[in-house]
Amino acid sequence: MDLTTRLGDLDLRSPLIAAAGTVGSVVDFARVGALEHYGAAVAKSVSAEPWPGRPAPRLAPAGAGMLNGIGIQNPGIDVWASEIGPRLGNVGVPVWGSAVGRSPEDFARVASALAATGVAAIEVNLSCPNLEGTGMFALEPKASAEVVAAVRSAVSTPIGAKLSPNAADIVAVAAAVTEAGADFLVLTNTVWGAAIDPVTRRPRLSGVIGGLSGPPLKPIALRCVLEVHAALPGTPIVGCGGVRSGSDVVEYLLAGAAAVAVGTAHFAEPRAGRRIVRELHRYGRRHGVRSLAELTGGMKPW
Ligand SMILES: Cc1cc2nc3c(=O)[nH]c(=O)nc-3n(C[C@H](O)[C@H](O)[C@H](O)COP(=O)(O)O)c2cc1C
């Protein structure tokens, strides 16, 4: 099966994207992962100034999934650009940057510096606190669109808006960021969750509420892809949430995604991408599918 795909103007050799925050800065992961099987790898989100992140504990198992409350710890864009940026050309996979910020100006500054390092695309991670608003940017169409518009005017690099399944109306957010200039959408980031240790009676994360990822997220993110693809069929989508197998990838494609990100699966199986690609080829042989384009948006009605 031909695994090449397109996200707007971006040509990808594989539909698999290594999800932000699950492959570090990409540079070290490249030594243990199977990035030759991916179309792109996204470096951990970076902000204008250094963010210390939350204290331990920041990760906890949660049923078949995982909770994290890292707080987007990162060294800030100046350190990132000088220490990590120059090493990205040697990792064997196109690298995307990921920008976070507390205001549209912050995002634009980070995006300009990321673009200067030569990243192939920039994800705008809207799942972070909006200092000027009530909650995270990704909950509000207007706040999200302001960020994407600021990034759009700062860079000509392709940009993807990464949205949150916590938004009350993700279609409204998707429409607003597309209108503001996003070239593609990443659906989705983690969904809010929590866990409590019954013995110590303490929350399992220092921040109490964190992001749930892994298999329990898949039906939620898949629903988001279905809704957004139905409303905005021309907007390229990267499906993201709970992908562990070739059939998970096929599900996201049928729902309307053109590419699919793998995140939490890397913690248990750093080389998961190799197996997932093998499973995709097997699916193609068994079902007579020759290209991914035959699958995207191909869900049949009852
Ligand atoms: C430990 C951890 C750190 C993450 N850090 C980021 C990040 O820095 N930026 C971002 O956009 N998403 C981040 N994510 C979210 C993932 O990129 C992905 O959207 C989410 O985990 C859902 O996919 P999955 O179920 O395959 O993990 C993080 C996820 C985990 C588990």
Side-chain angles (χ1 to χ4, degrees), residues 52-122:
R54 293 211 182 93
R58 316 195 292 183
L59 284 178
M66 188 170 96
L67 279 168
N68 92 82
I70 310 273
I72 319 186
Q73 179 183 2
N74 78 89
I77 189 61
D78 294 339
V79 171
W80 195 96
S82 62
E83 291 185 3
I84 296 166
R87 301 163 69 195
L88 297 179
N90 307 323
V91 293
V93 67
V95 176
W96 298 356
S98 170
V100 281
R102 296 204 163 97
S103 66
E105 298 71 38
D106 267 7
F107 274 93
R109 187 182 144 207
V110 173
S112 302
L114 285 171
T117 68
V119 293
I122 296 171

Side-chain angles (χ1 to χ4, degrees), residues 212-296:
L212 178 66
S213 63
L217 176 60
K218 198 182 86 181
I220 300 170
L222 194 81
R223 179 267 300 171
C224 294
V225 173
L226 280 167
E227 288 183 343
V228 171
H229 180 68
L232 306 167
T235 304
I237 295 173
V238 179
C240 179
V243 171
R244 279 191 305 189
S245 68
S247 39
D248 293 333
V249 173
V250 172
E251 269 191 80
Y252 273 106
L253 296 171
L254 291 172
V260 176
V262 180
T264 300
H266 290 134
F267 291 97
E269 188 188 358
R271 296 182 63 75
R274 181 164 180 265
R275 174 183 53 76
I276 294 172
V277 161
R278 209 170 47 229
E279 291 168 1
L280 275 176
H281 282 303
R282 193 183 312 140
Y283 174 90
R285 279 194 305 275
R286 279 201 188 142
H287 299 276
V289 178
R290 283 188 303 242
S291 75
L292 298 184
E294 292 175 40
L295 296 172
T296 293

Side-chain angles (χ1 to χ4, degrees), residues 66-221:
M66 188 170 96
L67 279 168
N68 92 82
I70 310 273
I72 319 186
Q73 179 183 2
N74 78 89
I77 189 61
D78 294 339
V79 171
W80 195 96
S82 62
E83 291 185 3
I84 296 166
R87 301 163 69 195
L88 297 179
N90 307 323
V91 293
V93 67
V95 176
W96 298 356
S98 170
V100 281
R102 296 204 163 97
S103 66
E105 298 71 38
D106 267 7
F107 274 93
R109 187 182 144 207
V110 173
S112 302
L114 285 171
T117 68
V119 293
I122 296 171
E123 280 188 1
V124 179
N125 177 6
L126 293 160
S127 299
C128 63
N130 171 8
L131 282 196
E132 292 154 15
T134 47
M136 61 162 80
F137 289 96
L139 300 184
E140 302 166 288
K142 187 162 167 286
S144 296
E146 282 167 7
V147 169
V148 170
V151 172
R152 180 73 295 161
S153 40
V155 299
S156 54
T157 312
I159 57 180
K162 186 163 179 181
L163 306 189
S164 168
N166 299 308
D169 184 352
I170 198 164
V171 171
V173 183
V177 296
T178 305
E179 176 71 27
D183 299 293
F184 61 94
L185 304 171
V186 184
L187 304 175
T188 64
N189 214 310
T190 53
V191 68
W192 282 324
I196 300 171
D197 183 330
V199 176
T200 64
R201 303 188 180 190
R202 290 203 187 98
R204 291 200 190 268
L205 296 177
S206 69
V208 185
I209 289 173
L212 178 66
S213 63
L217 176 60
K218 198 182 86 181
I220 300 170

